[in-house]
């Protein structure tokens, strides 16, 4: 029976959360006898403790020393006592040293002690009067420390009693900071009494010493056990004969004694380290300086990190009036510090150095300093405050959580990120508090032992068990780090910090002149647009108000600031209150700057983006700016047609698809994400998909089922056939059909209808797309569509040399695959002759000379025409095509529609020397790039290099030249074209 009862008792202990059942059972029996309470009462109480075993053993040790005091506490404040002893062996040791302090727990847990209550209590402990303690020996320090720990126990009781510790973190941390301030004030009273043995008491009384709280103490967000960062400011009281030098000497002694009263080893253990190393010059600097000396240092020598530290400065103890004077004097310096050169970069590097100095084995366990830890939140919030606080005093807050709330309210951080940051910060701080409370020791390392993790989970209430708290810690680390990296390294911070102070607010009194000075041609109009974007009280307007100063500067760096600003306003209005738009510009790694580059640098892209404003989201992802594959585009086009029965609806969606992809390619080209070769392939792919989709829709509309046997195909010609399209290029095509059993006249009529419908339904006024059939046999005088047999007959009997030349770039892109194969076989016979026609080759040379003279627009400088001018596209293409007509039958590499591929094949076949081939290739690619850049810049197609210096500079910027490189762009083209022309003339005309 006894054995059965013992097993049942041990089972009850296990259910209550005990781990060492045998030892705890024996301790409970002894404790019950000492305090005259039943074992059941003790088990029920200990069950509330985070560490029931530890709580019972601590209680037993105290009972052995003073059973009466412990018994009273267990009867009067049982829940508070068990919570404290189960969460903190450090407080258990305190009560073991001072069992009478258990009586002070009455009423604990119901509220936090106030700052005044703690200040008065600690002053009473040292019997302070007129700023001097009653005793000059160590007894004052001991009394101070005991009274301080009494208040810490009451704060911990409230903290541990809270249903949700994260909800009371802020008031608990504030109470801990107030307790530290009260302790320093009492220690200063004891220091004055001691100093009076070294200096005249009257002089000690006339010496002013302000203790400035820094870091978490200054921000009122202190831990249970943490270094208390301070700065000492000294001076002589007004109206006294005490010299400043003498006052500083006395104040230095007072500061030293104050720190000793808190941290020296005595009968009662030290409280915490007082760290004065944030003072000017750090450990090498004077411990105490006058106010003027501090200000002189900050004006001349202080580094960026010192201003970041001052962000949380607060008068803590001693001469509060002097402390307030200090804080008032340094405040303006804090908020102008971000204007220093490389300020943001220096803060970012400092955070990285903190992480780098953590021992590698500790990094995964570092709750405070490690990646995803407390410092990631604090550094992010402080950097945002310092950068934006110059122009916005509403975010000038000392505390991390209050600052975070202000940053959200003013639109500097998104609500979702702030909510996650805030909650994770509270959870991390609660875990930190429980770890430090455990032994009343400074630590920031997550435990590795399962038992310690279990106690941490029970003490914090954030998880049910060891596995839960470990999993929560890993999740928080990842999420905090992600948000930190996104916000802490956002380019907008560096951009705002780099703005001159007077440009961070757009004062209407000076804005007109400033806008004109930085490059806006219509500053009055720009002011109206800025006013429209930043007027109002909505969150959208608030965010735009913050973005606008730096975006204005970025617009001014572009080619057309006025046009960029107008386009931004239109896009912003089109997107309305879409939440992701401004959040992305504010938070992403460079989207805002990319948008200003696009809008102020390209009329073509700006016009398209106004109609497709959701494309702004692509600027946050390089992958979104890459060309989509032809297969993906084809799948989307087929899905569009499956959804729409009416041709008008289907083609509206197909046109939208084409515009969207044109914009994607434009953005990729403008931002350097794709090469000119990738651009040509991308433009060709979307043109092919558009024609294919249009042909399918038209076929369904025009060709009745009984004529469905007819075959029809679209043949790409010119640059389209060569997959070498640029922005603004026409799509040169030919149309071929095969009756395939349908009445020939009927097939001809249907084909003409198809061609007209293709041209009608592919028209797009916003992004013109012209299907140009001018390269067909007989040119514009010939029929729009011919049968395959008619093409064969024509080429056999009447074709001219230029028509064979045109076929060199023929490539089937839409329609019947079978018919395309037959047409290409026919084309190969014509364009790759076994016996080249020498007369025809001479005719091609004559035509080339005539084209140069007759087709150049009147009044245009020949040297500036990128297509027909000397060394332009036409020179390279005609030369390559001449070689193809002569040698393609024998040189397989020449049988290609690509100019550059054929040029490389000619070089490989020895038809052209490497140097000449290089010059021809450079000219062709540069002309292609200049042509596309011209279209992107102006929104209009032109083959002429502009003479306007502004336009040339704009083209240069798109081609990644430095600003104001108009002359360089012009000279590069003229030089490259001259070299190519010399090579062309020697090879083409012989």
């Amino acid at each position: 029976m006894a054995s059965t009862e013992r097993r049942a008792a041990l089972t009850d202990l296990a259910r209550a959360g005990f781990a060492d059942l045998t030892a705890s059972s024996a301790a409970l029996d002894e404790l019950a006898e000492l305090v005259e309470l039943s074992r059941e009462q003790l088990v029920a109480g200990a069950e509330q403790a985070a560490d029931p075993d530890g709580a019972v053993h601590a209680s037993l040790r105290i009972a052995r020393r003073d059973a009466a005091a412990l018994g009273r506490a267990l009867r009067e404040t049982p829940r508070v006592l068990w919570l404290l002893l189960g969460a903190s062996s450090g407080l258990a040791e305190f009560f073991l040293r001072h069992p009478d302090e258990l009586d002070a727990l009455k009423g604990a847990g119901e509220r936090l002690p106030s700052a005044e209550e703690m200040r008065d209590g600690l002053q009473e402990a040292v019997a302070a009067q007129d700023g001097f303690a009653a005793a000059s020996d160590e007894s004052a320090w001991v009394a101070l420390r005991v009274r301080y720990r009494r208040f810490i126990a009451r704060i911990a009781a409230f903290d541990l009693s809270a249903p949700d510790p994260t909800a009371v973190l802020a008031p608990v941390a504030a109470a801990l900071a107030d307790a530290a301030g009260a302790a320093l004030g009492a220690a200063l009273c004891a220091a004055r009494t001691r100093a009076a043995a070294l200096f005249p008491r009257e002089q000690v009384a006339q010496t002013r010493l302000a203790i400035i709280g820094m870091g978490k103490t200054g921000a009122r967000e202190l831990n249970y056990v943490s270094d208390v960062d301070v700065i000492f400011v000294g001076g002589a009281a007004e109206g006294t004969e005490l010299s400043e030098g003498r006052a500083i000497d006395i104040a230095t002694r007072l500061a030293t004694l104050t720190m000793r009263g808190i941290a020296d080893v005595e009968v009662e253990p030290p409280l915490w380290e007082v760290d004065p190393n944030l003072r000017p010059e750090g450990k090498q600097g004077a411990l105490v300086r006058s106010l003027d000396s501090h200000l002189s240092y900050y004006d001349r020598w202080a580094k960026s990190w010192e201003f970041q530290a001052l962000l949380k400065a607060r008068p803590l103890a001693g001469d509060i009036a002097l402390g307030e004077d200090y804080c008032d004097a340094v405040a303006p310096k804090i908020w102008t510090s971000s204007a220093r050169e490389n300020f943001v970069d220096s803060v970012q590097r400092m955070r990285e150095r903190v992480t780098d100095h953590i021992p590698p084995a500790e990094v995964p366990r570092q709750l405070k300093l490690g990646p995803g830890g407390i410092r990631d939140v604090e550094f992010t919030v402080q950097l945002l405050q310092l950068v934006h606080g110059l122009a916005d005093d509403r975010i000038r807050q000392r505390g991390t959580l209050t600052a975070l709330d202000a940053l959200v309210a003013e639109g500097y951080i998104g609500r979702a990120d702030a909510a996650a940051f805030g909650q994770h910060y509270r959870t991390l701080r609660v875990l930190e508090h429980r770890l430090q409370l455990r032994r009343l020791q400074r630590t920031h390392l997550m435990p590795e032992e399962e038992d310690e993790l279990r106690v941490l989970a029970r003490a914090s209430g954030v998880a049910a068990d060891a596995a839960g708290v470990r999993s929560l810690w890993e999740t928080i680390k990842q999420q905090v780090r992600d948000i930190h990296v996104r916000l802490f390294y956002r380019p907008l911070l560096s951009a705002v910090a780099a703005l001159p102070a007077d440009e961070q607010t757009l004062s209407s009194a000076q804005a007109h002149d400033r806008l004109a000075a930085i490059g806006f041609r219509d500053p009055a109009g720009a002011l109206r647009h800025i006013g429209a974007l930043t007027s109002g009280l909505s969150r959208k307007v608030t965010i735009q108000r913050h973005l606008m100063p730096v975006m204005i500067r970025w617009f001014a760096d572009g080619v057309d600031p006025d046009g960029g600003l107008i386009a931004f306003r239109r896009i912003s209005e089109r997107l309305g209150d879409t939440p992701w738009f401004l959040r992305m510009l504010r938070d992403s790694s460079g989207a805002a700057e990319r948008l200003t580059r696009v809008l102020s640098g390209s009329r073509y892209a700006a016009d398209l983006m106004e109609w497709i404003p959701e494309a702004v989201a692509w600027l946050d992802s390089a992958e979104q700016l890459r060309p989509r594959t032809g297969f993906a585009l084809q799948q989307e086009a087929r899905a569009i047609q499956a959804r729409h029965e009416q041709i008008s609806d289907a083609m509206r969606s197909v046109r939208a698809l084409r515009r969207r992809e044109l914009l994607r390619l434009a953005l990729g080209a403008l931002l350097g994400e794709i090469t000119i070769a990738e651009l040509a392939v991308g433009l060709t792919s979307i043109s092919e998909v558009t024609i294919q989709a249009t042909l399918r829709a038209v076929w369904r509309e025009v060709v009745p089922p009984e004529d469905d046997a007819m075959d029809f195909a679209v043949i790409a010609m010119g640059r389209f056939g060569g997959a070498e399209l640029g922005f603004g290029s026409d799509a040169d095509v030919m149309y071929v059909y095969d009756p395939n059993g349908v009445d020939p006249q009927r097939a001809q009529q249907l084909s003409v209808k198809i061609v007209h419908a293709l041209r009608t339904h592919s028209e797009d006024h916003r992004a013109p797309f012209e299907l140009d059939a001018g390269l067909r046999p007989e040119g514009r005088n010939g029929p729009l569509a011919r049968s395959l047999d008619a093409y064969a007959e024509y080429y056999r009997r009447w074709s001219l040399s230029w028509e064979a030349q045109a076929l060199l770039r023929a490539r089937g892109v839409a329609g019947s695959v079978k018919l395309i194969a037959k047409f290409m076989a026919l084309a190969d016979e014509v364009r790759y002759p076994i016996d080249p026609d020498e007369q025809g080759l001479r005719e091609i040379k004559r035509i080339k000379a005539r084209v140069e003279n007759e087709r150049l627009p009147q009044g245009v400088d020949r040297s500036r025409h990128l297509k027909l001018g000397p060394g332009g596209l036409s020179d390279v293409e005609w030369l390559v095509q001449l070689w193809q007509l002569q040698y393609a039958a024998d040189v397989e590499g020449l049988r290609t529609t690509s100019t550059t591929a054929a040029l490389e094949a000619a070089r490989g076949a020895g038809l052209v020397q490497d140097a000449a081939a290089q010059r021809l290739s450079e000219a062709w690619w540069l002309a292609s790039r200049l042509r596309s850049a011209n279209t992107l810049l102006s929104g209009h197609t032109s083959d002429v290099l502009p003479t306007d210096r502004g336009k040339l500079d704009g083209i240069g910027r798109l081609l990644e030249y430095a600003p104001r490189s108009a002359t360089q762009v012009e000279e590069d083209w003229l030089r490259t074209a001259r070299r190519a022309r010399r090579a062309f003339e020697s090879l083409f005309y012989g």
Side-chain angles (χ1 to χ4, degrees):
M1 185 65 181
S3 176
T4 302
E5 289 178 355
R6 178 170 293 279
R7 283 198 298 271
L10 294 179
T11 300
D12 289 342
L13 292 184
R15 290 197 187 104
F18 286 84
D20 189 353
L21 304 183
T22 302
S24 294
S25 180
L28 282 164
D29 288 339
E30 183 180 352
L31 180 61
E33 183 177 346
L34 287 171
V35 297
E36 298 179 355
L37 290 171
S38 71
R39 178 188 169 103
E40 289 72 19
Q41 287 177 290
L42 296 175
V43 171
E47 187 175 4
Q48 303 171 76
D51 180 7
D53 300 272
V56 165
H57 287 290
S59 298
L60 180 58
R61 292 176 65 204
I62 296 170
R64 286 170 178 168
R65 179 167 185 183
D66 191 337
L70 182 69
R72 287 194 303 274
L74 284 172
R75 288 175 175 83
E76 295 172 1
T77 55
R79 182 169 184 271
V80 164
L81 182 61
W82 286 116
L83 288 174
L84 290 174
L85 298 182
S88 178
S89 60
L91 285 174
E93 291 295 327
F94 170 64
F95 289 127
L96 178 63
R97 293 193 302 273
H98 306 283
D100 53 308
E101 287 293 323
L102 289 168
D103 292 333
L105 292 178
K106 292 177 183 177
E110 298 172 5
R111 65 173 183 85
L112 287 166
S114 68
E116 294 75 13
E117 190 178 337
M118 290 187 283
R119 184 185 63 243
D120 293 346
L122 282 156
Q123 294 279 324
E124 179 189 56
V126 297
Q129 188 171 1
D130 298 328
F132 287 80
S136 61
D137 58 14
E138 286 75 7
S139 63
W141 292 352
V142 171
L144 179 159
R145 296 175 188 185
V146 171
R147 186 64 59 90
Y148 172 84
R149 289 197 168 97
R150 175 192 294 181
F151 285 123
I152 292 300
R154 294 185 70 86
I155 293 170
F158 176 84
D159 189 5
L160 293 166
S161 299
D164 179 5
T166 64
V168 299
L169 169 72
V172 166
L176 289 168
D178 292 340
L184 284 166
L188 177 56
C189 291
R192 287 196 185 99
T193 302
R194 286 199 167 203
L198 302 171
F199 303 97
R201 185 182 178 97
E202 182 181 89
Q203 291 186 355
V204 172
Q206 293 171 353
T207 298
R208 303 180 75 188
L209 179 64
I211 303 177
I212 309 298
M214 306 289 284
K216 283 185 166 60
T217 312
R220 297 187 76 226
E221 49 188 20
L222 196 59
N223 305 325
Y224 279 97
V225 184
S226 175
D227 287 356
V228 172
D229 297 312
V230 299
I231 285 178
F232 295 106
V233 184
E238 292 183 7
T240 67
E241 296 181 359
L242 186 66
S243 69
E244 182 176 284
R246 179 69 167 174
I248 296 299
D249 288 342
I250 297 172
T252 300
R253 187 63 179 173
L254 290 175
T256 301
L257 291 169
T258 298
M259 292 190 291
R260 286 181 57 193
I262 298 292
D264 266 14
V265 176
E266 295 294 343
V267 175
E268 181 66 15
L271 301 182
W272 18 259
E273 288 294 323
V274 181
D275 187 350
N277 292 327
L278 292 178
R279 67 186 184 270
E281 300 181 78
K283 293 179 181 179
Q284 308 305 317
L287 181 62
V288 180
R289 289 175 183 251
S290 68
L291 177 56
D292 289 342
S293 176
H294 274 97
L295 298 181
S296 176
Y297 172 83
Y298 290 129
D299 285 337
R300 300 180 62 187
W301 310 112
K303 296 180 175 60
S304 296
W305 68 264
E306 293 177 275
F307 293 106
Q308 184 179 356
L310 286 171
L311 183 65
K312 298 182 180 296
R314 174 176 67 93
L316 191 63
D319 193 318
I320 298 300
L322 178 58
E324 289 175 345
D325 289 343
Y326 171 89
C327 291
D328 290 343
V330 300
K333 305 179 190 302
I334 297 170
W335 303 112
T336 56
S337 64
S338 64
R340 290 173 157 226
E341 185 177 359
N342 298 322
F343 171 80
V344 172
D345 183 68
S346 70
V347 175
Q348 292 169 342
R349 299 293 82 76
M350 181 167 65
R351 172 64 186 116
E352 291 164 7
R353 286 195 297 273
V354 168
T355 306
D356 291 343
H357 290 156
I358 304 172
E362 292 184 4
V363 172
R365 300 170 54 209
Q366 252 291 351
L367 198 67
K368 177 181 179 181
L369 304 178
I374 292 167
R375 274 290 189 266
D376 273 359
V377 179
E378 293 172 346
F379 263 75
T380 302
V381 170
Q382 289 167 27
L383 182 56
L384 287 166
Q385 284 183 276
L386 288 167
V387 168
H388 297 294
L390 172 61
D392 191 346
D393 58 7
R394 289 165 296 190
I395 61 171
R396 298 177 184 178
Q397 308 290 331
R398 290 190 180 100
T400 300
L401 292 172
T402 54
L404 189 58
D405 289 342
L407 288 166
V408 176
E410 301 309 317
Y412 295 104
I413 301 182
R415 291 187 182 96
D417 282 345
F421 237 20
Q423 186 55 43
H424 292 333
Y425 181 73
R426 289 180 177 90
T427 302
L428 291 172
R429 291 294 309 277
V430 166
L431 292 172
E432 181 185 42
H433 278 187
R434 296 301 180 267
L435 289 172
Q436 294 181 350
L437 193 57
R438 181 79 167 133
R439 294 177 178 82
L440 282 185
Q441 292 178 354
R442 184 183 177 211
T443 180
H444 307 289
L445 294 178
M446 287 289 283
E448 295 178 299
E449 303 82 4
E450 287 294 307
D451 285 348
E452 287 299 315
L453 284 169
R454 177 180 58 84
V455 171
L456 178 59
R458 289 171 63 102
S460 64
V462 299
D465 51 28
V469 79
R470 187 185 295 111
S471 174
L472 178 66
W473 161 230
E474 293 299 329
T475 299
I476 288 177
K477 272 199 300 186
Q478 179 180 346
Q479 293 181 8
V480 166
R481 190 62 178 178
D482 286 347
I483 299 172
H484 166 75
V485 169
R486 189 165 65 252
L487 300 183
F488 194 65
Y489 294 97
R490 64 159 77 141
L492 201 61
L493 287 173
S494 296
V496 172
L499 284 175
D502 60 348
E503 286 190 26
Q504 293 198 28
T505 54
L506 296 171
S507 165
S508 57
Q510 301 171 325
H512 183 283
D513 292 341
R514 188 180 304 135
L515 289 170
I518 63 177
F520 281 83
R521 292 188 298 275
D522 179 14
L527 274 176
R528 288 194 298 273
H529 295 303
I530 293 168
L533 287 164
T534 59
S535 298
L537 301 174
S538 69
R539 184 169 180 80
K540 171 187 173 183
V541 166
T542 300
I543 295 173
Q544 290 199 133
R545 198 176 293 126
H546 303 324
L547 289 170
M548 198 49 56
V550 71
M551 291 190 75
I552 288 297
R553 173 60 69 177
W554 283 334
F555 280 129
D557 290 339
V559 179
D560 182 9
D562 301 82
L565 179 59
I566 293 168
F568 177 73
R569 178 183 174 184
R570 289 173 180 161
I571 290 168
S572 183
E573 289 172 350
R574 287 287 298 274
L575 288 170
D577 293 322
T578 307
W580 59 264
F581 170 52
L582 293 170
R583 182 174 65 234
M584 184 195 72
L585 296 184
R586 180 194 61 200
D587 297 343
S588 84
S589 57
E593 184 177 9
R594 292 191 204 108
L595 180 61
T596 59
R597 281 176 58 191
V598 167
L599 297 183
S600 63
S602 171
R603 179 68 179 273
Y604 181 93
D607 288 347
L608 279 176
M609 192 172 276
E610 286 182 32
W611 291 101
I612 316 171
E614 62 274 12
V616 174
W618 302 343
L619 299 174
D620 198 28
S621 167
E623 188 59 33
Q624 292 279 5
L625 301 178
R626 301 286 305 164
R628 296 177 65 203
T629 65
F631 177 77
L633 295 173
Q634 189 67 261
Q635 292 290 99
E636 183 175 354
R638 289 185 180 277
I640 286 171
Q641 289 176 305
R643 291 196 301 270
H644 299 291
E645 293 185 4
Q646 297 296 321
I647 188 170
S648 58
D649 295 334
M651 291 314 301
R652 189 181 302 110
S653 295
V654 170
R655 284 192 295 273
L657 166 63
R658 177 173 170 271
R659 291 176 203 150
R660 187 192 69 204
E661 296 310 313
L662 287 176
L663 178 56
R664 189 190 308 278
L665 292 166
L667 295 177
L670 288 163
L671 299 171
E673 296 293 340
I674 60 175
T675 65
I676 186 67
E678 291 173 316
L679 172 64
V681 171
L683 289 170
T684 301
S685 293
I686 189 57
S687 298
E688 290 174 2
V689 169
T690 301
I691 293 172
Q692 291 161 4
T694 308
L695 179 56
R696 286 194 297 271
V698 165
W699 187 274
R700 189 169 60 186
E701 186 80 7
V702 171
V703 180
E706 61 268 22
D707 297 317
D708 199 49
M710 182 183 81
D711 287 328
F712 183 91
V714 180
I715 308 299
M717 304 290 285
R719 290 175 71 86
F720 184 21
E724 296 165 343
L725 289 177
F727 286 109
S729 296
D730 291 339
D732 293 314
V733 295
M734 294 199 308
Y735 305 104
V736 59
Y737 68 91
D738 186 350
N740 203 22
V742 176
D743 178 74
Q745 186 174 356
R746 173 68 172 163
Q748 171 67 21
Q749 292 171 345
L750 287 173
S751 296
V752 172
K753 282 186 176 181
I754 291 171
V755 171
H756 284 303
L758 278 172
R759 297 173 74 172
T760 298
H761 290 294
S762 63
E763 286 182 354
D764 188 344
H765 299 298
R766 294 202 184 107
F769 186 51
E770 182 179 353
L771 300 180
D772 188 345
L775 293 177
R776 65 187 183 274
E778 301 180 81
R780 302 193 183 278
N781 297 317
L784 277 172
R786 293 174 186 255
S787 69
L788 180 64
D789 291 342
Y791 274 108
E793 181 67 12
Y794 180 86
Y795 287 130
R796 183 177 65 82
R797 298 180 61 184
W798 298 298
S799 81
L800 302 174
S801 55
W802 72 266
E803 291 169 322
Q805 181 185 359
L807 282 176
L808 287 167
R809 306 179 85 177
R811 181 174 58 87
V813 294
S816 167
V817 175
K818 178 177 66 175
L819 179 56
I820 287 173
K822 291 179 180 179
F823 183 87
M824 298 315 297
L826 170 63
D828 286 349
E829 294 177 10
V830 178
R831 61 187 175 178
Y832 306 140
I834 296 173
D835 296 314
D837 178 7
E838 293 299 328
Q839 178 62 31
L841 295 177
R842 285 193 292 273
E843 179 63 19
I844 286 173
K845 294 179 181 181
R846 281 195 295 271
I847 294 172
K848 174 70 169 86
R850 192 171 70 246
V851 165
E852 290 181 10
N853 292 323
E854 296 176 3
R855 288 187 56 191
L856 273 169
Q858 189 173 3
V860 170
D861 181 350
R862 295 177 72 251
S863 67
R864 307 184 79 85
H865 204 286
L866 301 170
K867 181 177 180 181
L868 301 177
L873 296 169
S874 177
D875 278 2
V876 181
E877 291 168 358
W878 281 62
L879 175 58
V880 168
Q881 289 159 16
L882 184 67
W883 288 332
Q884 288 179 294
L885 289 168
Q886 289 176 295
Y887 306 111
D890 298 321
V891 180
E892 184 178 356
L894 288 172
R895 291 176 227 153
T896 174
T897 61
S898 167
T899 300
T900 53
L903 179 58
E904 179 60 24
R907 187 198 60 77
L911 301 178
V912 58
Q913 295 297 315
D914 289 351
Q918 180 69 20
R919 290 178 178 179
L920 292 166
S921 177
E922 287 174 354
W924 191 90
W925 282 115
L926 181 55
S928 297
R929 295 178 70 212
L930 289 168
R931 202 166 175 235
S932 278
N934 201 1
T935 302
L936 283 173
L937 176 71
S938 64
H940 303 293
T941 302
S942 174
D943 292 322
V944 180
L945 189 68
T947 56
D948 180 271
R949 312 312 288 173
K951 291 180 180 178
L952 273 175
D953 181 51
I955 289 173
R957 294 199 195 194
L958 296 183
L959 299 187
E960 299 183 350
Y961 283 76
R964 294 175 292 281
S965 294
T967 301
Q968 187 66 47
V969 172
E970 187 175 58
E971 290 178 351
D972 283 355
W973 166 246
L974 295 176
R975 181 178 61 254
T976 302
R978 280 195 305 271
R979 291 174 177 174
R981 181 65 177 187
R982 285 196 294 269
F984 165 79
E985 288 178 343
S986 66
L987 293 165
F988 191 78
Y989 294 113

